[in-house]
Amino acid sequence: FGETKGFITMRSFKLTIVLFNLLLMLSPITYADKKDEVSLWAAQTLIKTFSISYTSQPSDFEAVKKNYSFNAWDAIVGFLGQNKDKIQAEQLTLHPVLESVPTIVKSGYYNGMRYWYITQNLILSEFEVKIHFALVVLARGPSSDYPYIIQSINMKLTPYAR
């Protein structure tokens, strides 16, 4: 009889823990933290991506490349490739600056995948350009070493005077 009573108490305790975790996961506070986390990740990823210099080698991009889908990375390579000669000729080191905090325009689930549509402006004063980014970021599975991936990226360039 004592074992059954202990079992019921343990079962109730486990049920309480499960319900508490469920409430925590559905909490607006947790949702806000996730939004802050993905915004920060997107900003840091853009900074790392565009912090390059004339001495940068293709192998230097391997870690940051894992944060992009093939098509999104192709857009980054296209932009940097167009400016490779200038970076080399002028021995530039790019110092990207975020104009403001990222804005999550929309978020939700699509086909069971968590996504965020994020806008962000980044200034490259070395090119006298402001890049207006629109990113679609997807959450990766818990087994991944990288929590998110930029699935698609749109870049609009406008002049920027120092």
Side-chain angles (χ1 to χ4, degrees):
F1 181 75
E3 291 177 26
T4 305
K5 185 176 179 185
F7 173 74
I8 292 171
T9 304
M10 182 57 98
R11 184 174 176 202
S12 297
F13 177 74
K14 287 181 179 180
L15 181 60
T16 303
I17 294 296
V18 168
L19 290 174
F20 177 75
N21 285 331
L22 184 61
L23 280 172
L24 189 61
M25 287 176 15
L26 298 175
S27 165
I29 294 169
T30 303
Y31 181 70
D33 288 344
K34 193 67 155 174
K35 286 175 68 174
D36 291 344
E37 179 184 310
V38 74
S39 293
L40 179 61
W41 178 88
Q44 289 173 339
T45 298
L46 290 174
I47 291 291
K48 288 176 189 174
T49 302
F50 287 91
S51 295
I52 63 171
S53 78
Y54 66 98
T55 61
S56 296
Q57 299 297 315
S59 60
D60 298 336
F61 296 101
E62 288 306 311
V64 76
K65 181 179 177 181
K66 294 177 182 177
N67 293 313
Y68 293 88
S69 70
F70 178 79
N71 289 335
W73 184 250
D74 196 42
I76 296 292
V77 169
F79 173 79
L80 293 175
Q82 290 174 356
N83 294 290
K84 182 181 175 188
D85 292 340
K86 180 177 180 167
I87 294 170
Q88 292 293 324
E90 297 178 25
Q91 296 187 343
L92 293 176
T93 297
L94 303 185
H95 301 92
V97 176
L98 300 174
E99 185 178 54
S100 62
V101 296
T103 302
I104 296 180
V105 177
K106 188 176 179 182
S107 65
Y109 289 88
Y110 183 76
N111 287 337
M113 296 189 71
R114 184 86 170 110
Y115 77 90
W116 296 265
Y117 181 76
I118 301 172
T119 58
Q120 174 69 65
N121 294 336
L122 184 127
I123 297 167
L124 291 176
S125 58
E126 295 83 2
F127 291 146
E128 297 180 344
V129 68
K130 181 189 304 185
I131 307 173
H132 308 271
F133 288 97
L135 311 171
V136 175
V137 176
L138 301 178
R140 292 191 184 185
S143 63
S144 176
D145 291 337
Y146 297 85
Y148 308 104
I149 186 168
I150 297 174
Q151 179 63 32
S152 69
I153 187 168
N154 289 317
M155 298 183 287
K156 178 183 174 191
L157 281 61
T158 58
Y160 177 80
R162 292 182 202 204

